Amino acid sequence: MPFHHRAVPIVLAAVLIDSIGFGIILPVLPKLIVTLSGASLDDAARIGGWMLVAFAAAQFFAGPVLGNLGDSIGRRPVLLLSMAAFAIDYLLMAAAPTIGWLFVGRVVAGVAGAVYGPANAVLADVTPPEKRGATFGMMGAAFGIGFILGPAMGGLLAGFGPRAPFIAAALLAGINAVWILILLPETIVPARRRIFRLRDAHVFAAFAPLFQAGNAKPLLLAAFLWQLAHMVYPATWAFFGEIALGWNEQMIGWSLAASGVCMALIQTFVTGRAIAAWGEERTVVLGMLAGGAAFTAYCFVRETWMVFAIIPFAAFQGLAFPSINALLSRMTDPSRQGALQGGMSALGSTALILGPLLLSQALAFGTERGFRGGNFAVAAVLAISALLLIEWKVVPRVQRAPAV
């Protein structure tokens, strides 16, 4: 498809490669944690939750810093350094002799993972305001395609041992860094750069322009609840598959790949059209409605075929976040798009700190009492709460602000 700026396909390809690297390790994490810790599968789910907390805590502090650095020194060097850090992280995890090493690797990944703020800022730099929703949807599609390839590759590579996918992920991250170094142009013009101030590089400073807008507060709260609910996938999916359905690494990989196929199709062919037809506010509602229904359905699956029947419908939840991101970007000055995305990264990191603790504990707690869908029950409550907030507080009151 044609792109309106040459930076767009480069950033999308970088996100694609990065999501492959992230997804490729998911099928083997439960086995690796059990092997290194000697814990039961239920306790391994709890350890996996704490591992994501370490990742998120690092990302929480790094997100606004990288976003503001992107506004100051440019997007390109920030993206390049982050990709190099990802390569180091995966190599560290491939060599990890103990659980402690895995935690250190997750901290490194948390700092590098804040790169999605500057990546989104690149798209905001080069995209007209009226097209940002569809462009952010393309970012989601790239992530979804990565989840088609990554988990499937991880499941296949698991046959060579639980560390093989980490080595492959390190190679992909290195390729990503070279790709950015050679091909990505700088997208923020000198006139829009700001002096970096450490006092601005935290979540509250990054969101200051939004808190001054009357409609932003309920939208931000809904975004937080939605992100919190979505932590159910990275925090518990692999453990849920083994506990509830007896899946091996290959089946975990194929289920994530199937989810990625459906997500990519929705983000590529539906998101932009839905926003154009109904607007960002109504598209958010549709996405959250699909997500809440899917989470509820997952609570009661007892056969593998049920999961694969739910996955295509669940993919429509991908409509929600690009629409939220587009609404927020319209409320923000062009010189602060990097700060905005850094703040969104930090908000997501807050959800990533709380979500794994809440959802992994819910899975383990429910399993110990004979209910294997506790994680999805909690996610459903969070998603429905976000939906009600959007429907009652955002849709009736949001007025389309002038493009900035």
Side-chain angles (χ1 to χ4, degrees):
M1 64 180 295
F3 295 100
H4 56 273
H5 192 282
R6 68 189 182 98
V8 173
I10 297 170
V11 169
L12 293 179
V15 170
L16 170 66
I17 294 173
D18 196 56
S19 65
I20 291 173
F22 180 79
I24 204 171
I25 69 173
L26 291 180
V28 298
L29 264 182
K31 183 176 181 180
L32 186 59
I33 292 174
V34 168
T35 299
L36 292 179
S37 68
S40 67
L41 195 54
D42 292 352
D43 288 335
R46 291 189 171 99
I47 294 171
W50 281 107
M51 203 169 288
L52 276 176
V53 170
F55 173 93
Q59 193 172 83
F60 180 84
F61 293 104
V65 173
L66 294 189
N68 279 272
L69 277 175
D71 285 343
S72 177
I73 67 174
R75 322 294 190 201
R76 184 173 176 271
V78 173
L79 288 166
L80 180 60
L81 290 174
S82 293
M83 290 303 105
F86 259 128
I88 295 171
D89 165 62
Y90 290 130
L91 287 175
L92 180 64
M93 294 188 72
T98 65
I99 284 290
W101 278 61
L102 287 183
F103 274 93
V104 172
R106 289 295 82 194
V107 170
V108 174
V111 175
V115 72
Y116 284 98
N120 276 322
V122 169
L123 299 186
D125 288 340
V126 302
T127 306
E130 67 275 8
K131 295 183 179 180
R132 286 177 188 163
T135 303
F136 288 138
M138 292 164 60
M139 177 77 84
F143 188 85
I145 293 170
F147 253 65
I148 297 169
L149 302 175
M153 292 169 60
L156 294 173
L157 289 170
F160 297 96
R163 300 177 188 271
F166 292 93
I167 296 173
L171 293 174
L172 287 173
I175 292 170
N176 201 345
V178 173
W179 174 263
I180 291 170
L181 176 65
I182 296 174
L183 296 177
L184 181 66
E186 183 55 63
T187 60
I188 184 169
V189 298
R192 289 184 174 176
R193 296 194 184 193
R194 300 181 296 113
I195 297 174
F196 178 81
R197 295 182 177 89
L198 191 59
R199 65 175 180 269
D200 294 331
H202 59 80
V203 63
F204 302 110
F207 281 127
L210 296 180
F211 287 129
Q212 296 169 4
N215 294 316
K217 291 180 182 178
L219 185 57
L220 287 169
L221 179 57
F224 174 72
L225 293 173
W226 182 248
Q227 289 179 314
L228 196 63
H230 266 254
M231 292 304 105
V232 73
Y233 294 121
T236 66
W237 182 264
F239 297 97
F240 172 77
E242 288 201 32
I243 291 172
L245 300 165
W247 286 351
N248 58 19
E249 293 93 337
Q250 287 73 27
M251 184 54 68
I252 292 169
W254 287 119
S255 69
L256 289 168
S259 182
V261 169
C262 295
M263 182 190 302
L265 290 174
I266 294 300
Q267 297 283 15
T268 302
F269 298 109
V270 178
T271 300
R273 291 178 173 87
I275 291 173
W278 300 309
E280 289 95 342
E281 303 95 280
R282 283 297 174 188
T283 305
V284 169
V285 170
L286 292 173
M288 289 186 174
L289 185 62
F295 293 145
T296 303
Y298 281 133
C299 291
F300 304 104
V301 298
R302 293 297 177 265
E303 301 289 341
T304 294
W305 70 265
M306 296 178 181
V307 174
F308 284 90
I310 296 169
I311 283 173
F313 177 78
F316 283 91
Q317 64 197 320
L319 295 173
F321 201 72
S323 302
I324 292 173
N325 217 351
L327 280 173
L328 291 173
S329 72
R330 287 167 64 99
M331 300 176 186
T332 306
D333 185 85
S335 67
R336 297 192 64 83
Q337 291 295 328
L340 163 69
Q341 298 301 335
M344 288 300 292
S345 176
L347 186 67
S349 296
T350 305
L352 196 54
I353 291 171
L354 299 178
L357 289 179
L358 178 64
L359 296 163
S360 62
Q361 293 294 327
L363 173 61
F365 182 84
T367 299
E368 291 166 355
R369 286 153 182 82
F371 177 56
R372 297 173 180 176
N375 53 331
F376 283 107
V378 173
V381 171
L382 292 168
I384 292 170
S385 299
L387 170 63
L388 294 176
L389 185 60
I390 291 286
E391 186 65 37
W392 290 347
K393 296 294 185 180
V394 177
V395 172
R397 297 163 59 184
V398 167
Q399 299 176 352
R400 294 186 179 276
V404 293

